Amino acid sequence: MGSNNPIPGEGDIYALPLDLQQVWDVIVIGTGVGGSTLGHALATRGLSVLFLEKGGRVDQGNPSGDALTPESRQAQGWWPYFISQRRPDGRCDRFHAPVGCAMGGSSIYYAAALERMAASDFDALQTTGQKVPAWPVAYEDFLPFYARAESLYGVVPSSDAAGEARFSDWDRALMQAMRENGLKPERLNVGIRYDEDCQECIGRICPRQCKSDARIACLEVALRQPRCFILDHCDVQRLDADDRHVHAICALYRGQEIKLKARVVALAAGALHSPQLLLRSSNSFWPRGLANRSDQVGRNLMFHTSDLVALWAPRRFSRKGRQKKSISVRDFYLYNGQRLGYVQSLGFDAGTTEIRNYLKGILRRLGIGNERLLSLLVKVPAAIGSRVLGESSIFAAMTEDDPSPDNRIVLDPAEPDGASFTYTIGDDLRQRADALREAFRRSVRPWRMLRMSPRLEMNYGHPCGTCRFGLDPATSVLNRDCRAHDLENFYVVDASFMPRSGAVNPSLTIAANALRAAGRIAATLSSQVSMVGGTGIEAAAIRN
């Protein structure tokens, strides 16, 4: 079958003399933050680990994801196919979500904002539609894994005194205005090294390994371990299982059908695609889909609001600074008894290119798919917007999306290669998002603020919650260790596990949870070996 592409200059570390009869300790499906972090933690413990990745290695790409064909999109590291959102009125919007498909997953393009969720996000919650149970893990028990994830991804704490020295005069003046209005802004926690040649690489692939994405921080380190390998361009089709175990992974590897086996299978294809694979893997033991006795697989889909605003100063300040993704505002997380949300700078000036890409995204979700037409439609408005806004910076106001069983991933024959979901923005979410934006507006005076979209937009790059974990098998898919309730060797470690979305980027929480799950998987495998004797591979052979 040949070998996978090597990292230039690193030797052929991806080469795999593929033995289809080998039983791996762990096979990890997906190499985003969850999969790469888990695989790194297990491979560095000496376990045999095989990564399966639908995409390949991508070193250069288009940050806006404007590629016209599935092949060109995948070559640039984006999910190649359309996503369909089905609305209650029967309308269907087809668009390209900002979801990665490459070694490192979406993280190769992310802006490396790595913030902890709040302790309150782990609490039970009564929404308008359901009682959401508390996380089965206490916040205090999760904290050590947050600390380990921050160390792994190179996060410098916001309390670091040297950090604010990287800010521009513009950012420092804005923070002072916020403090005068009663806020407590902080430096944003990011996984970027900020050496002298750092270009920050917000929303684009980092060419210097200065940004700690999942590929750089975890995947490539794991692949240097002697018993760790990867199959890229490997499209997992289904999982074969009986009532207690996953026995085989059925996949297309560079167009050829293969079957792979492991003592433990860990799914980390992302909250849009992991539930699809489970639903496609139905059989006589699992008529509603693998691990879906609760009928919760695919349900409780959550995003974050993505209310973008531009701020500009009452007088001229220099915008020159090494850290433009700079400011974090948590004052409104819980505000007058309401969960309003979180505000952060995105690190972008409101220039023509940024406005053009943002307007394109809105028009795509309105059903306009022709890229050439999109470029024509946004050209003049983007130029006008850039001129009007002048020296300004873009901030995102993010509000927690509450789970609803009716917001869900569904199998759609019209989208066999993409993803399809039903989703409605609730009135409560709209009201909290409006309240957050207005509270922030009042707190930045005399700076001026302009909302960049006439309607509330969702961040479709932050899906989560579609295989949530919990203590009750009737209302959750996974147990507290992220193992499927009724399967002894199957785990899900991407954003699907989250019972609540919080109001911050989920990447750090995904990484921390993957480290937590890795400890349980390693302990389980170790106990199995001690019971039957021999190495991991020998023990697996005995069991099978």
Side-chain angles (χ1 to χ4, degrees):
M1 287 189 186
S3 63
N4 296 349
N5 296 327
I7 299 175
E10 293 290 343
D12 196 0
I13 66 171
Y14 293 159
L16 177 65
L18 191 63
D19 177 5
L20 295 182
Q21 302 306 310
Q22 177 171 348
V23 180
W24 298 84
D25 287 332
V26 184
I27 292 180
V28 181
I29 303 171
T31 62
V33 170
S36 288
T37 305
L38 178 84
H40 171 275
L42 296 173
T44 53
R45 283 175 163 92
L47 296 171
S48 65
V49 176
L50 177 64
F51 290 102
L52 305 181
E53 170 54 53
K54 180 180 175 67
R57 181 183 173 90
V58 178
D59 293 305
Q60 292 182 340
N62 185 344
S64 65
D66 285 347
L68 299 179
T69 67
E71 295 76 15
S72 58
R73 284 185 58 81
Q74 185 162 338
Q76 294 180 11
W78 294 105
W79 187 261
Y81 304 108
F82 281 105
I83 306 295
S84 291
Q85 179 178 355
R86 301 192 175 277
R87 301 181 183 273
D89 60 6
R91 190 176 62 158
C92 177
D93 295 337
R94 299 181 79 232
F95 57 93
H96 288 301
V99 175
C101 182
M103 293 182 186
S106 301
S107 74
I108 63 172
Y109 281 109
Y110 80 162
L114 296 169
E115 294 279 346
R116 299 184 181 190
M117 293 175 70
S120 59
D121 293 327
F122 284 57
D123 294 340
L125 176 68
Q126 181 64 58
T127 71
T128 55
Q130 65 173 317
K131 174 71 176 292
V132 182
W135 284 42
V137 179
Y139 183 73
E140 292 74 17
D141 295 334
F142 208 81
L143 288 177
F145 299 100
Y146 267 140
R148 286 177 56 191
E150 288 165 342
S151 176
L152 183 61
Y153 280 83
V155 177
V156 178
S158 58
S159 58
D160 175 51
E164 206 166 309
R166 295 193 292 264
F167 285 11
S168 67
D169 292 342
W170 193 98
D171 281 322
R172 282 193 285 267
L174 175 58
M175 292 183 79
Q176 182 58 35
M178 290 178 178
R179 290 171 181 136
E180 290 172 356
N181 283 306
L183 298 187
K184 297 177 181 177
E186 298 179 328
R187 184 176 61 81
L188 186 63
N189 288 328
V190 292
I192 300 177
R193 194 167 61 240
Y194 289 111
D195 59 25
E196 291 184 0
D197 297 318
C198 179
Q199 301 174 17
E200 208 164 16
C201 294
I202 296 168
R204 64 183 190 273
I205 298 172
C206 179
R208 301 180 57 254
Q209 300 196 353
C210 179
K211 181 174 71 176
S212 292
D213 59 42
R215 189 184 80 189
I216 292 170
C218 294
L219 180 61
E220 292 181 356
V221 178
L223 290 170
R224 293 186 179 95
Q225 307 307 308
R227 304 179 69 204
C228 182
F229 299 91
I230 186 169
L231 293 183
D232 64 352
H233 300 288
C234 185
D235 190 0
V236 176
Q237 302 291 298
R238 60 177 288 113
L239 304 174
D240 284 348
D242 60 20
D243 60 336
R244 300 301 298 174
H245 299 92
V246 174
H247 290 294
I249 298 169
C250 304
L252 291 174
Y253 174 53
R254 298 177 180 258
Q256 181 173 345
E257 293 184 2
I258 61 172
K259 273 194 173 184
L260 300 163
K261 296 182 179 181
R263 299 167 65 202
V264 168
V265 174
L267 179 57
L272 292 178
H273 298 106
S274 285
Q276 280 197 109
L277 178 59
L278 298 182
L279 294 172
R280 288 202 309 264
S281 300
S282 60
N283 59 27
S284 58
F285 297 103
W286 302 96
R288 292 193 292 192
L290 186 63
N292 197 26
R293 292 204 174 108
S294 63
D295 193 32
Q296 294 298 303
V297 169
R299 295 188 183 273
N300 304 300
L301 172 64
M302 297 172 284
F303 300 103
H304 288 126
T305 63
S306 183
D307 218 351
L308 301 192
V309 298
L311 294 182
W312 64 104
R315 63 184 181 87
R316 201 167 191 84
F317 294 101
S318 170
R319 289 284 294 146
K320 292 182 180 179
R322 288 171 61 193
Q323 183 175 349
K324 288 191 173 182
K325 191 170 183 64
S326 50
I327 299 175
S328 167
V329 180
R330 285 182 174 260
D331 298 76
F332 309 112
Y333 217 94
L334 289 174
Y335 186 71
N336 294 335
Q338 287 188 292
R339 295 173 296 120
L340 299 190
Y342 171 73
V343 183
Q344 66 167 240
S345 57
L346 293 184
F348 293 125
D349 293 339
T352 303
T353 300
E354 289 75 28
I355 297 174
R356 182 170 62 241
N357 290 338
Y358 182 67
L359 293 175
K360 279 185 177 182
I362 294 175
L363 293 176
R364 287 190 192 103
R365 290 190 286 277
L366 293 177
I368 301 175
N370 186 296
E371 293 297 328
R372 293 183 178 86
L373 177 59
L374 284 171
S375 296
L376 289 174
L377 290 175
V378 303
K379 183 176 181 179
V380 173
I384 294 173
S386 177
R387 183 177 295 272
V388 169
L389 294 176
E391 294 288 329
S392 60
S393 184
I394 302 175
F395 282 67
M398 300 189 296
T399 299
E400 178 183 10
D401 189 10
D402 292 341
S404 167
D406 295 327
N407 290 342
R408 62 184 301 196
I409 301 292
V410 295
L411 292 183
D412 185 351
E415 300 285 1
D417 298 311
S420 186
F421 61 91
T422 61
Y423 181 82
T424 302
I425 301 176
D427 291 338
D428 176 67
L429 179 58
R430 292 183 187 278
Q431 292 166 4
R432 287 185 289 120
D434 288 344
L436 171 61
R437 186 178 62 256
E438 291 309 309
F440 185 59
R441 183 194 302 275
R442 292 191 300 270
S443 300
V444 296
R445 292 171 179 165
W447 293 56
R448 292 177 293 167
M449 189 177 97
L450 176 67
R451 188 182 187 187
M452 297 190 64
S453 172
R455 69 175 193 177
L456 183 63
E457 296 288 331
M458 303 303 293
N459 187 337
Y460 293 106
H462 288 183
C464 54
T466 50
C467 298
R468 67 184 182 187
F469 75 162
L471 298 177
D472 184 358
T475 60
S476 58
V477 178
L478 311 171
N479 69 9
R480 71 187 308 273
D481 297 328
C482 287
R483 179 178 61 80
H485 283 295
D486 298 310
L487 290 165
E488 295 180 11
N489 69 333
F490 180 70
Y491 295 74
V492 181
V493 294
D494 53 33
S496 302
F497 88 94
M498 297 171 63
R500 291 179 56 179
S501 65
V504 296
N505 186 303
S507 294
L508 185 70
T509 300
I510 297 168
N513 182 67
L515 292 173
R516 193 180 64 85
R520 300 305 307 156
I521 292 172
T524 299
L525 291 175
S526 176
S527 66
Q528 290 176 0
V529 171
S530 65
M531 289 176 64
V532 300
T535 66
I537 298 298
E538 291 167 346
I542 292 172
R543 287 190 66 233
N544 286 280

